[in-house]
Amino acid sequence: MTLLDPKTWQPRRLSGGEYEVTEPATGQSLGAVALATAEDIAAAAEAAVAAQTTWARTPHFARAQVLRRAGDLFAHHAEELSQWLMRESGSVAGKADFELHVAAQECYEAAALASRPLGEVLPSEAPRLSYTRRVPVGVTGVIAPFNAPLILSIRSVAPALALGNAVLLKPDPRTAVCGGLALGAVFAEAGLPEGLLHILPGGAETGQALVADPRIPVISFTGSTAAGRRVGEAAGRQLKRAHLELGGNSALVVLADADIEGAVAQATWGSFFHQGQICMTTGRHLVHASLYEEYVERLAARADALAVGDPYREKVHLGPVIDRPQLAKIHALVEASTARGARLVAGGTHRDLFYRPTVLADVDDHSPAYAEEVFGPVAPVRPFATLDEAAALAAAGPYGLSLGIVTRDTALGLELADRIPTGIAHINDQTVNDEAVAPFGGVAASGTGARFGGSANLDAFTELRWTTVRREPAGHPF
C-alpha cells in the first residue's frame, strides 16, 4: 500500500500557496506541497492545545503502543520512504536506509519513555509528602532542516508525543515530504489521535510564527547557527525554552601512532558522507606532521575514486547537493581558500549539483573552507607537531559539536578529548555518528547542549513540578 500519494498527502489545505517539490539530481518535479502561513500556525496551535489535554491523560501504555506501531511502519514502508529520501533529499541508498533505521529506533526508544519514572519523593522539614513529577510541556514546536530530514524531525516528534505533548512540525519545504508529510502519514496509520501532530511546511516566516505563538512553550530547532541565534533570541524574549542543535566545524585529530590507512578510511566517510551536508561532518583534518603528506595523498586518492551521481538511478557514493545556492556557497569557499594559498589536491569541480569530493592541503586559520562550516564535500587538511598544538587547533573556532581522535593509545585519546570542548567525542572513529539512545548536541556556537536522545528527552519535553500534600491544612504565623 502506498503511504504517500501526492494527490492526498496533506489532509487539510494550508493557506500559503504551493511549493514545487523538486528532485535535485534531475530538476524533475515530484509534486507540490501546500505551505503554512502565520494563520495556519495559529489554527494548528489552537487545535493542538485542545487535543493535548486528553492525550496527556491517556494511559502510558496506550501512548507507547502508538509509538511502537509507528516504528514498525517505518520498516513496513521502507522501500517507498527510501525512494523519497533518495529523490527529494539526494541521499544515497545507504544513507536513506540509515535514516529509516534511526527513525524506527527513535520511535521505539520514545515508546519506552512513556513508562519511565515520573519523579521522586523528597525529604521535607514539614509533616507532609513532598515529591517531584514530570508533566508534559503542552505543545512543542519542531523546526527541522533538509539534510537528514527524517531523523532530524522524528528525534523530537517521537519523544514529545510519547511524553504526552502535541507537536507542530515545520519541515524545510525542500524536503517537506520525507521530513514532514511522511511522519504525518506514519503516525496517522499508527493510530495517533487527530489534532496532536500538525505538519506545517514553510520558510522563515512560518518558523517565526511558530516561535512567536504563546501557546507553544518549547521550541526544538535544528539548523544553522545564524538561524538558531534568531530562534533563541525570539524565544528568550518570551521566556520560552529553545533547544538548539546548530552548526559545526568538527575536527578529526590523527595522532602520530595512528594506522594511516584506517585513519584515511575514517576521514573519507567523515567528510564526504551525504555530500558533507551533515552538521557533524569532519570539517577540519588535523594530522601529525610525520603522517601529513601520506595522509593527504591517500585521502585524495580515495576522493578521486568515489562515484558521484543520481542516487535513485545509479549506484554512487555521493548524490547531489540540495540546491544551487548551496552549491555556489561550497564552490566559493573552495575557490577563496585556493586563492589564499591552499593546495587543491582532489575535486574542486562540479557538474550541475554534483560536486566532486574535494581535498584541500596546506590550509591555515584564514582559509575560508577551514575556518567556516562548508556544508559540502570538502576536506581541509593541516599538520600539527605536538599534542598541545593539536588540542589548541581542535579547540579553536566558535563551534563545539563533534570530535574524532585516531590513535593506538586510547587512554591518550581520551586525555586529549578532555582538553577540547565538544558535545560529542569519538576515539578511533570519525565525527559523524548518531544513535537514538545517546544524548545529542553541541556547545558554544553548535547549540545549547545535549537535548535530544535517551534520557535527555525527559528534560527537553517535560516540566518538573514540585508537589506537597498534608493531612491537615498548614498553620502559619498570620
Side-chain angles (χ1 to χ4, degrees), residues 86-238:
M86 287 188 280
R87 300 191 70 183
E88 188 185 32
S89 74
S91 299
V92 299
K95 190 258 191 182
D97 292 343
F98 176 71
E99 285 213 49
L100 288 162
H101 169 76
V102 172
Q105 292 303 314
E106 291 284 359
C107 290
Y108 298 143
E109 288 298 321
L113 285 178
S115 58
R116 290 285 291 270
L118 295 177
E120 59 184 353
V121 177
L122 304 174
S124 178
E125 297 178 1
R128 61 190 179 187
L129 172 64
S130 177
Y131 64 94
T132 60
R133 181 186 174 206
R134 292 189 178 275
V135 297
V137 298
V139 181
T140 297
V142 179
I143 301 174
F146 73 86
N147 56 317
L150 185 52
I151 290 176
L152 300 181
S153 293
I154 195 66
R155 72 173 181 188
S156 293
V157 169
L161 290 173
L163 292 166
N165 301 289
V167 177
L168 273 60
L169 168 63
K170 189 205 82 65
D172 189 305
R174 292 171 290 184
T175 50
V177 178
C178 49
L181 304 185
L183 279 77
V186 162
F187 278 101
E189 190 174 334
L192 184 72
E194 289 189 17
L196 291 171
L197 177 59
H198 300 261
I199 311 300
L200 302 157
E205 298 82 5
T206 308
Q208 290 165 5
L210 190 69
V211 176
D213 195 293
R215 292 162 291 195
I216 306 172
V218 168
I219 301 295
S220 169
F221 173 87
T222 304
S224 72
T225 297
R229 290 186 194 278
R230 294 192 292 272
V231 169
E233 289 168 3
R237 284 194 295 272
Q238 300 186 65

Side-chain angles (χ1 to χ4, degrees), residues 35 88 123 131 140 144 201 264 305 354-355 359 387 424 439 442 470 478:
L35 299 178
E88 188 185 32
Y131 64 94
T140 297
V264 170
F354 302 103
Y355 204 89
V359 177
L387 280 177
I424 303 165
R470 288 176 177 263
F478 57 88

